[in-house]
Amino acid sequence: MLNMVNTFFDYDPLNIQMGNGNLKNSFKHRFVVNYKIGQKSHNQYIRFDGGVNIHQNQIVRGQTYDPRTGVTYYQYANVKGNWDSWGQLSFGRMLDAQNRLWFETRTGLSYTHYVGISALLGESNGKSVVTSWSFPIRTLLRYRLNKLTVSGNFNYAKTWNKYIVHSRGSETHFQPTTIQYGLSGQYEIPILQGSDGRGLQIATDMVLYVKRGYGDSSMNTNDFVWNASIAKSLWKNKVVVKLEGFDILNQLSNIYSTVDAQGRVETWRNMVPSFVMLHLQWHFSRLPKKK
């Protein structure tokens, strides 16, 4: 309702926000199918998931740029032709008779057709279209023995994007690739073991994020993140004290860049990449009195 008010926000003279009293309600139609078969003797499964999302009168934030003054005008509007579809095949299986080693993989394919508004002032057709094919692969290998759990994962995602601005007849292609290598572990040390039999719980995970294929070299990065935590349960598991460290090596930047559906880069700076936090959790329950 706020976007439908015919207002003119010019507190930032180079980025002006305008209302649109002609906005219509938008609807999302979602169709999903999934099928799963399993084999208990080998503790395995195969599953397929797929679906389509169709957006009717989707509301987008259009932008119109005035090259003479350098002012960009933003206004929400309804567009037609936005839809996306996806499919994913998953497989999981225990690899040993003791049910300690678990393997799982997921392979998918998705397509997105996004219509937006990006024009120069005075242009009659300011429609822009982004089409995107994405091919993600995820694998997981996990080993459990008593109170020890070790996991390794590998994630790969390749995207083919095409960005078309009809009013200018321009077409841009970019193919970003994201690769993630991860290793994590959890173990309960029988130190300071209480009456509940719980000891000191330690956990750690290390992940390498690799990004390639972006036109801006600052986005083609290698980020190695190491997190760790130590926790202790007290008072029959009613109280949990946990000390957690995130990005211990301080490798992440406080500037995070992404590419949105219209091919524009957004940067967020309001984040703390490296920190240490102490958690204190208290679990309690109270039953009602019997009449």
Side-chain angles (χ1 to χ4, degrees):
M1 294 182 63
L2 180 62
N3 297 326
M4 294 182 67
V5 180
N6 288 318
T7 53
F8 192 86
F9 293 101
D10 57 355
Y11 52 87
D12 182 355
L14 294 180
N15 297 278
I16 297 177
Q17 177 69 50
M18 300 182 298
N20 186 356
N22 297 319
L23 286 179
K24 302 177 182 178
N25 290 331
S26 59
F27 299 91
K28 178 181 178 179
H29 308 280
R30 181 178 178 88
F31 304 91
V32 179
V33 60
N34 56 72
Y35 181 72
K36 181 179 180 180
I37 56 176
Q39 188 176 5
K40 292 184 178 180
S41 59
H42 293 88
N43 198 0
Q44 76 173 25
Y45 78 92
I46 299 176
R47 174 169 176 162
F48 172 78
D49 297 273
V52 177
N53 293 319
I54 301 175
H55 302 271
Q56 180 181 353
N57 292 331
Q58 185 169 5
I59 298 176
V60 300
R61 190 185 187 213
Q63 65 173 17
T64 302
Y65 178 69
D66 187 350
R68 297 181 298 104
T69 62
V71 177
T72 303
Y73 298 90
Y74 297 95
Q75 186 180 47
Y76 287 94
N78 296 105
V79 296
K80 299 179 180 180
N82 285 359
W83 65 280
D84 61 271
S85 61
W86 77 96
Q88 177 177 268
L89 183 63
S90 306
F91 171 77
R93 177 188 172 100
M94 281 292 180
L95 301 181
D96 64 329
Q98 293 77 24
N99 291 335
R100 297 175 180 173
L101 190 60
W102 170 259
F103 172 77
E104 187 175 44
T105 181
R106 299 177 182 179
T107 302
L109 182 65
S110 63
Y111 175 79
T112 302
H113 185 273
Y114 184 90
V115 178
I117 299 175
S118 178
L120 297 176
L121 189 65
E123 289 179 339
S124 58
N125 183 9
K127 186 174 72 170
S128 63
V129 178
V130 175
T131 58
S132 175
W133 287 95
S134 182
F135 179 64
I137 300 176
R138 302 178 179 89
T139 58
L140 169 69
L141 186 65
R142 183 178 63 234
Y143 178 78
R144 286 180 177 175
L145 177 62
N146 298 328
K147 297 182 179 181
L148 172 67
T149 301
V150 179
S151 301
N153 63 79
F154 170 78
N155 298 331
Y156 172 88
K158 178 72 174 182
T159 305
W160 294 267
N161 296 293
K162 182 169 65 174
Y163 178 42
I164 303 174
V165 181
H166 288 266
S167 59
R168 288 164 238 166
S170 63
E171 184 173 314
T172 305
H173 298 259
F174 53 99
Q175 301 179 11
T177 302
T178 303
I179 304 175
Q180 175 184 333
Y181 308 88
L183 183 65
S184 62
Q186 300 177 9
Y187 183 63
E188 184 174 319
I189 306 175
I191 299 177
L192 303 176
Q193 193 169 10
S195 58
D196 57 357
R198 302 295 296 272
L200 201 63
Q201 304 157 27
I202 61 173
T204 185
D205 62 88
M206 293 170 285
V207 183
L208 176 62
Y209 299 94
V210 180
K211 295 195 298 182
R212 294 291 185 270
Y214 292 94
D216 187 350
S217 59
S218 64
M219 299 180 64
N220 298 319
T221 58
N222 298 326
D223 297 318
F224 179 76
V225 182
W226 176 33
N227 310 317
S229 66
I230 182 171
K232 182 69 178 74
S233 300
L234 305 171
W235 198 18
K236 297 182 180 180
N237 293 329
K238 293 183 178 180
V239 177
V240 178
V241 181
K242 180 179 179 181
L243 182 64
E244 177 187 19
F246 178 79
D247 189 18
I248 298 174
L249 301 179
N250 195 22
Q251 296 295 302
L252 288 179
S253 171
N254 63 342
I255 300 177
Y256 179 65
S257 302
T258 60
V259 177
D260 67 2
Q262 293 190 14
R264 296 193 299 267
V265 176
E266 301 176 345
T267 302
W268 303 82
R269 296 183 176 87
N270 297 327
M271 59 181 295
V272 181
S274 180
F275 62 86
V276 176
M277 182 177 295
L278 179 64
H279 304 257
L280 179 61
Q281 303 173 7
W282 178 30
H283 305 273
F284 66 94
S285 61
R286 184 175 181 180
L287 298 176
K289 296 181 179 180
K290 295 182 179 181
K291 295 183 179 180

